[in-house]
Amino acid sequence: MNISKKLLLIVALTCLEVSITVFAAFEIAKGARFHQLNFLHLKYINQLANRVEHINLNNHIDIDTLEADILAIREQPQTCINEANALNLFIMKMINTSHAILLCKQDVELANKALYSLEQYRNGVLSREQILQYLVAALQQFNKNSEAFEAPITKTVSFIFISFIPLVIIISLFNIGSITYLSRTISSSIRNLTSLLLSQSHSHKSLDYEFDTNTPDELKSLIFAAKKRIENDLLNLESSQHLQAIVKTQTASLQQANDELAQFAYRASHDLKSPLTGAKSLAKFVIEDIKNADTQEALKNTQTIVNQMEKLELLVTDILKLAKADIATKEREVINFDEIIGDIKTRLYWLIKQNNCDFNTFVNVPVSIKTDKTRLTQIIENLISNALKYYDSTKAFSFVKCDIFIDKNDFTIIIEDNGIGISKKFHNEVFEMFKRFHPHLSEGSGLGLALVKKHVEFLKGTINFVSSSHGSTFKITLPLSTLI
Ligand SMILES: Nc1ncnc2c1ncn2[C@@H]1O[C@H](COP(=O)(O)OP(=O)(O)OP(=O)(O)O)[C@@H](O)[C@H]1O
Ligand SMILES: [Mg+2]
């Protein structure tokens, strides 16, 4: 039986014990009251007897006084009848004392008859002698009944006293025993559970088994509630730690972005400043040349200014492209690779010719690819232009190969050359802005690969490269699922 059921039993027994005690007390008090009423009854009988004696001595009969006396005599048996409830009647019937109530009924009836006789006397139906005889006979009967009433009432009170008090004592003892047993069971269950939870020798399995078999349901629920609470607290702690970690990573990436931006601003302004300073100095020379009427020199210097401005324009265009790479993209469209490659070839024609490179493209894309055309074109064009720009003039034969194909779940672009390559010590700086490792070989802003990387990341792809003095290979993979 679990703890709550045991407690419920004790509550029920205590209620029973209290009810029996209260009932017994009431019944005993009622017995005493019945005795008291009987004494009062006797008093009024004596009062009537004295009055009847006075009448016998030839005195006048005062009907009203006699009526009042008889009404007073009738009141006590009537009260007894009213106060005897069903349970009293049942107990009295069981122990053979119910005649006490019959005696009361007899007295009430006798009193009613006496009142009726007085009424008859008043109406002249009965004579003085007749009424006096009747009253004497009634008084005798009242006395007899009153005497006979005492014994059954005493017997009933004794019965209640003898039978209910031991019952109350037995239930009380039983209650005391049960409460003692229950409190011991509860405290020993708590002790066992505490030592079970604190013991380290148990395996998880045996701990669970012991817990399941030897722990009362209420303690199990208590432990489960505590466990749940601890789990929730741990979960909250974990999620707050997780949030802290996210904040930390985001702060770090913001810091990095901030650093990059500062570096970018510094490099961009530096690279913009030198052609501007150069152009300003040259413009001063041109002024001097014009003053000296040296048109040849003025022309030469002006041409240099134009060249520098073209470079500046290119740099500004590249910076703008890089800035745009971070901003929103255009709508995706189906890519026509022949068209893209054809356009790139046209734009880079001068480089292919100048370097005498063997430039080949292989496109094998059987599915239709949908993506941002500008980004994809800039990726391919930058890599091809690098491969062409950084060719190795010491090698007898230069080649640039562009492979575009589907590999399992990836859309892949590989651009390979046998150019001068990038020294291993610079490999981790390749995608940084304004980094140029062969500035003497070719013109450029040093922003091409940074732009390529930004585009690839935007398209959720990856970029890798291998590079040595034998040449370089750049490989880009974009998940096919994002391009269909
Ligand atoms: N295929 C390659 N072979 C050898 N070196 C390369 C190759 N690609 C890039 N590099 C080196 O990496 C540097 C950075 O390339 P990136 O494309 O970012 O700039 P860039 O070509 O100098 O200028 P631009 O901004 O005009 O592209 C180059 O200056 C070059 O030194
Ligand atoms: Mg480049």
Side-chain angles (χ1 to χ4, degrees), residues 382 385-386 389-390 448:
N382 264 297
S385 77
N386 281 352
K389 278 199 289 187
Y390 306 108

Side-chain angles (χ1 to χ4, degrees), residues 381-383 385-387 389-390 436 443-449:
E381 186 166 339
N382 264 297
L383 293 177
S385 77
N386 281 352
K389 278 199 289 187
Y390 306 108
R436 306 198 70 232
E443 296 289 337
S445 329
L447 293 174
L449 286 178

Side-chain angles (χ1 to χ4, degrees), residues 24-198:
F26 268 105
E27 290 310 302
I28 291 165
K30 199 186 269 181
R33 180 163 157 70
F34 280 13
H35 283 305
Q36 224 173 20
L37 285 170
N38 199 25
F39 287 132
L40 202 61
H41 192 55
L42 269 175
K43 184 187 145 194
Y44 290 130
I45 294 168
N46 277 333
Q47 194 174 297
L48 182 65
N50 286 337
R51 250 187 261 285
V52 171
E53 214 170 299
H54 270 254
I55 297 167
N56 276 335
L57 295 172
N58 257 337
N59 276 349
H60 163 71
I61 296 179
D62 182 355
I63 300 289
D64 292 338
T65 316
L66 289 175
E67 261 179 2
D69 287 345
I70 293 168
L71 282 173
I73 290 171
R74 192 180 67 173
E75 207 178 301
Q76 301 82 47
Q78 189 60 58
T79 311
C80 287
I81 293 166
N82 293 345
E83 285 187 9
N85 57 33
L87 194 64
N88 299 145
L89 296 178
F90 175 74
I91 293 172
M92 288 172 106
K93 202 171 178 184
M94 268 183 43
I95 58 171
N96 239 352
T97 55
S98 52
H99 55 281
I101 300 299
L102 286 178
L103 290 172
C104 291
K105 283 179 181 167
Q106 261 182 32
D107 274 8
V108 171
E109 217 172 298
L110 205 61
N112 286 340
K113 277 182 184 166
L115 289 171
Y116 180 68
S117 328
L118 283 177
E119 195 58 35
Q120 280 186 322
Y121 172 73
R122 190 180 269 139
N123 296 335
V125 179
L126 289 180
S127 65
R128 179 187 162 91
E129 280 69 35
Q130 279 175 315
I131 190 69
L132 282 175
Q133 264 177 18
Y134 187 83
L135 287 176
V136 170
L139 277 168
Q140 278 171 358
Q141 191 58 45
F142 279 138
N143 267 322
K144 243 166 102 184
N145 285 355
S146 181
E147 217 172 292
F149 181 76
E150 278 301 304
I153 293 301
T154 311
K155 190 179 171 188
T156 311
V157 170
S158 310
F159 171 78
I160 289 168
F161 199 79
I162 293 164
S163 52
F164 281 77
I165 299 302
L167 194 65
V168 169
I169 292 169
I170 289 167
I171 295 175
S172 304
L173 288 175
F174 182 76
N175 269 359
I176 292 167
S178 308
I179 290 167
T180 314
Y181 166 74
L182 189 66
S183 64
R184 278 195 182 175
T185 325
I186 295 170
S187 54
S188 88
S189 302
I190 293 171
R191 253 200 320 275
N192 286 348
L193 185 64
T194 314
S195 59
L196 188 70
L197 291 174
L198 292 177

Side-chain angles (χ1 to χ4, degrees), residues 1-21:
M1 202 192 282
N2 57 27
I3 296 171
S4 52
K5 279 187 186 152
K6 286 175 189 168
L7 283 173
L8 210 66
L9 179 72
I10 289 176
V11 169
L13 285 171
T14 311
C15 286
L16 185 70
E17 177 196 330
V18 170
S19 316
I20 293 174
T21 312

Side-chain angles (χ1 to χ4, degrees), residues 357 382-391 400 415-417 419:
C357 266
N382 264 297
L383 293 177
I384 293 175
S385 77
N386 281 352
L388 290 169
K389 278 199 289 187
Y390 306 108
Y391 79 106
V400 172
I415 288 157
E416 188 185 347
D417 66 63

